[in-house]
């Protein structure tokens, strides 16, 4: 089951059914099934608090992924700062909605085993994000 919640900020306007189907489809393309995946949309202050408390990091970020996978079944909690998503979209000259969906799938790609910290991994992650975004629900309206 995929759940969407918010804490301290309004829920983003996403089509939950279409987004859930998209996430399941992307996971399946990596040979994975979705178990329990929870999205929590927060503001910058909340993500900083989570980053400090659970990871010992003292900085803002767009997403934190907690991976509880069991074999090929994806399980995890994904905490997304909508403030950082919005500021990153502006900084990169991207549409907010596209940036939001990029971050939504970024966490799932981490759960699928794709990393972005080591040599060459960022490029692999960006390529995977771009492939997934090609079929993202917000594209259906274009």
């Amino acid at each position: 089951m995929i759940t969407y919640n918010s804490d301290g900020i309004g829920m983003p306007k996403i089509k939950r059914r279409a987004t859930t189907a998209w996430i399941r489809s992307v996971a399946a393309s990596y040979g994975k099934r979705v178990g329990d995946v929870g999205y929590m949309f927060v503001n910058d202050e909340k993500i900083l608090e989570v980053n400090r408390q659970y990871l010992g990091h003292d900085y803002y970020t767009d997403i934190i992924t907690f991976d509880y996978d069991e074999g090929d079944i994806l399980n995890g909690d994904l905490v997304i700062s909508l403030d950082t998503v919005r500021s990153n979209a502006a900084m990169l000259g991207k549409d907010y909605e596209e940036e939001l969906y990029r971050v939504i799938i970024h966490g799932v790609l981490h759960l699928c085993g794709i990393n972005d910290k080591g040599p060459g991994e960022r490029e692999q992650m960006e390529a995977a994000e771009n492939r997934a975004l090609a079929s993202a629900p917000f594209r259906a309206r274009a």
Side-chain angles (χ1 to χ4, degrees):
M1 175 193 301
I2 300 175
T3 59
Y4 306 93
N5 295 288
S6 66
D7 182 6
I9 199 163
M11 278 294 291
K13 292 182 169 91
I14 58 173
K15 293 184 174 181
R16 293 182 191 194
R17 272 194 208 136
T19 300
T20 295
W22 174 61
I23 291 167
R24 290 183 190 284
S25 174
V26 170
S29 74
Y30 290 91
K32 308 287 185 179
R33 290 181 322 169
V34 175
D36 290 320
V37 174
Y39 283 92
M40 178 63 68
F41 298 100
V42 300
N43 59 24
D44 271 351
E45 293 312 309
K46 184 65 176 180
I47 206 154
L48 181 60
E49 178 185 316
V50 171
N51 219 359
R52 286 175 177 158
Q53 181 177 355
Y54 294 100
L55 302 177
H57 299 158
D58 192 24
Y59 54 82
Y60 299 101
T61 187
D62 52 1
I63 184 169
I64 298 173
T65 303
F66 295 98
D67 186 342
Y68 315 125
D69 288 352
E70 297 173 6
D72 289 337
I73 300 175
L74 304 184
N75 295 290
D77 290 319
L78 298 97
V79 183
I80 296 175
S81 170
L82 296 179
D83 294 337
T84 299
V85 169
R86 189 171 304 286
S87 61
N88 284 350
M91 182 179 66
L92 298 168
K94 302 275 186 177
D95 177 71
Y96 168 75
E97 191 173 31
E98 179 177 352
E99 185 67 7
L100 176 58
Y101 277 90
R102 184 193 66 76
V103 174
I104 286 170
I105 210 62
H106 181 93
V108 171
L109 293 170
H110 273 309
L111 295 178
C112 288
I114 300 173
N115 296 312
D116 59 359
K117 301 292 185 210
E121 290 179 340
R122 183 68 213 149
E123 294 79 7
Q124 292 175 354
M125 177 62 83
E126 286 178 10
E129 290 169 354
N130 290 337
R131 280 191 304 274
L133 283 172
S135 63
F138 75 92
R139 297 265 186 229
R141 292 191 302 266

